[in-house]
Amino acid sequence: MYVADQTWPELREYVAEESVALVPLGSTEQHGPHLPLATDHLIAEALAREAADRTSVLCTPTVNVGVSPHHRQFHGTMWVDAPQFRDYVESLTRNLAYHGIDRVVYVNAHGGNAQHLREVGRRLRDDGTMYAIEWMWDESIPDLVSEVFEHNGPHGGPKETAMIQHVAGHLVREDQLEAARDGGLVDLDDSENYMMHGARTFYDAVENSGNGVFGDQTDATAEKGEQLFEAATEQLVKLVEWLDASRFEDLMAPAHLDPQPGSRR
């Protein structure tokens, strides 16, 4: 159920019985010459809406701009600084808690958001407000991604290309797939800047890829995207069902080991 499509009396019925919400998050950043800047937030919203439809839980509007300064050299990339992003997401999530939601899944499609969403989830659990966890679609189906693509690539590669071919095919520049592959980096092992003596020596995508993308984009198809989408949605549905069936008390932080601090005073 998409929250923005509902009336407030309809939502009153929901929060009286349910306590789970999905919050899709992505980015607005370069994804090479073949994919739109909207790639990440389009994927996140499509997955969250589909899982919400299948489980009848709440889905919020999408957070479209994330933590993306590592793509800043490319035209059009937008980002917010990490502290402001964390504070914004935390404030948004506390708003949901005010309305009775006590379990949230951050349906994330941008790697740059992940560690910050984990931090927000810890803040909210540590003060007993709610249980909020980050879910990254490709991390839910790693074996399938590896099976489907020989040269996957962590950004703008065939997995994201296939997903956009499936959910928003009209936005894919199909005539640019070879240019994306040839102007980027197919295999990270071929990069001279990725690792040196055990240290990551780069900060920005452009230091490893001239056009900002990785992997072999010509290996992507809408059919493969549909396969990934269905498998990831299934994993998200299972996560929601587990969360909905769990007792709130069991999701909160475990107590300090005995003896409890101050118990002997």
Side-chain angles (χ1 to χ4, degrees):
M1 179 170 61
Y2 184 57
V3 64
D5 288 344
Q6 310 304 310
T7 67
W8 73 261
E10 292 166 343
L11 290 171
R12 177 176 58 188
E13 302 274 334
Y14 176 84
V15 297
E17 298 179 3
E18 300 291 342
S19 59
V20 181
L22 305 179
V23 179
L25 306 99
S27 66
T28 300
E29 63 181 25
Q30 72 84 18
H31 277 79
H34 62 304
L35 292 179
L37 274 68
T39 290
D40 287 345
H41 69 250
L42 289 174
I43 293 172
E45 182 168 335
L47 288 165
R49 288 233 198 174
E50 182 65 24
D53 286 346
R54 296 187 190 187
T55 59
S56 298
V57 301
L58 199 68
C59 179
T60 74
T62 304
V63 178
N64 289 340
V65 178
V67 183
S68 303
H70 48 295
H71 294 296
R72 68 187 187 277
Q73 289 89 350
F74 296 93
H75 301 299
T77 292
M78 302 180 68
W79 71 92
V80 292
D81 293 333
Q84 285 70 36
F85 176 79
R86 291 192 296 266
D87 288 346
Y88 176 84
V89 174
E90 180 179 350
S91 180
L92 181 155
T93 312
R94 289 188 185 278
N95 171 276
L96 294 173
Y98 174 82
H99 289 297
I101 300 298
D102 62 14
R103 300 141 215 243
V104 161
V105 178
Y106 296 125
V107 180
N108 182 35
H110 173 51
N113 294 340
Q115 63 178 315
H116 308 294
L117 296 172
R118 289 284 297 174
E119 171 61 25
V120 172
R122 172 170 286 282
R123 292 182 192 178
L124 294 165
R125 189 173 82 149
D126 283 354
D127 67 15
T129 299
M130 69 161 56
Y131 184 76
I133 51 173
E134 183 262 350
W135 178 85
M136 186 81 175
W137 74 269
D138 57 321
E139 293 180 358
S140 76
I141 51 170
D143 292 341
L144 178 59
V145 172
S146 297
E147 175 187 326
V148 171
F149 304 115
E150 182 178 357
H151 295 289
N152 176 36
H155 181 76
K159 66 184 178 187
E160 290 185 321
T161 303
M163 285 286 274
I164 295 299
Q165 286 172 323
H166 172 57
V167 303
H170 63 289
L171 295 177
V172 179
R173 280 62 168 178
E174 296 285 347
D175 63 341
Q176 294 295 314
L177 296 182
E178 290 187 6
R181 177 197 63 198
D182 297 341
L185 184 66
V186 173
D187 192 334
L188 276 177
D189 291 338
D190 295 334
S191 173
E192 297 179 357
N193 297 320
Y194 187 67
M195 293 287 290
M196 187 175 294
H197 308 302
R200 288 181 175 84
T201 55
F202 70 97
Y203 283 95
D204 298 326
V206 71
E207 295 177 77
N208 285 305
S209 171
N211 65 7
V213 296
F214 304 84
D216 183 358
Q217 293 77 12
T218 64
D219 200 18
T221 65
E223 290 74 23
K224 291 180 180 179
E226 183 178 12
Q227 184 181 6
L228 298 180
F229 185 87
E230 182 60 33
T233 299
E234 183 178 336
Q235 291 300 310
L236 181 54
V237 166
K238 289 179 178 178
L239 177 62
V240 170
E241 291 173 345
W242 167 79
L243 201 57
D244 193 37
S246 299
R247 294 194 318 151
F248 179 75
E249 295 79 6
D250 294 337
L251 297 171
M252 290 294 95
H256 192 289
L257 295 178
D258 289 331
Q260 293 292 307
S263 61
R264 294 178 180 173
R265 293 176 184 169

